[in-house]
Amino acid sequence: MSPKLRAVIKAHKKAHAFWLSVCGCTDTLKLGREATADEEALWDKGNDGEYAALWDVCRFPARTTADQAAKGRYLRKFHSWKFGYLEEDQVDALMLSMIEAGKGAK
């Protein structure tokens, strides 16, 4: 795996871990009350950061077989029963990354 792809995946793992750490901060059952504006903002920050970082992985132009395989294995984790599915714009980014990766290939 290339250092650039490794960095993009590492950034997503960090964003995902942050989101997991704050995802319950707005859960009214867990809190026993309504979430505050600060708690909602923290959840939004975590959610938006994780979403953007996963989009970056989808959009990464994997040009080598090793990068393509690593990217595919990593994304498969987020298209499963546990995490749900990739959003439409993430799938679009993934498709665009494959088209652009293939432009120079013969």
Side-chain angles (χ1 to χ4, degrees):
M1 176 185 336
S2 70
K4 288 182 180 181
L5 178 57
R6 188 177 312 278
V8 170
I9 288 175
K10 184 178 179 180
H12 177 256
K13 286 180 177 181
K14 183 178 177 180
H16 188 70
F18 175 71
W19 182 78
L20 287 176
S21 76
V22 301
C23 67
C25 73
T26 58
D27 185 339
T28 55
L29 292 176
K30 193 183 260 187
L31 293 172
R33 58 174 171 75
E34 292 295 319
T36 66
D38 287 344
E39 290 166 332
E40 291 284 350
L42 185 61
W43 186 92
D44 287 341
K45 178 182 175 184
N47 184 61
D48 293 348
E50 191 277 336
Y51 189 89
L54 184 57
W55 188 91
D56 289 343
V57 174
C58 291
R59 190 67 178 94
F60 183 85
R63 293 190 172 22
T64 66
T65 303
D67 275 359
Q68 291 166 359
K71 179 178 168 178
R73 280 191 305 270
Y74 189 73
L75 288 175
R76 188 168 186 202
K77 293 177 189 178
F78 297 93
H79 193 79
S80 67
W81 65 269
K82 186 175 181 181
F83 292 104
Y85 56 89
L86 296 175
E87 298 289 333
E88 186 175 339
D89 64 328
Q90 292 167 332
V91 173
D92 290 346
L94 179 60
M95 300 306 288
L96 285 171
S97 77
M98 293 184 336
I99 291 168
E100 289 179 3
K103 282 184 179 177
K106 293 195 179 204

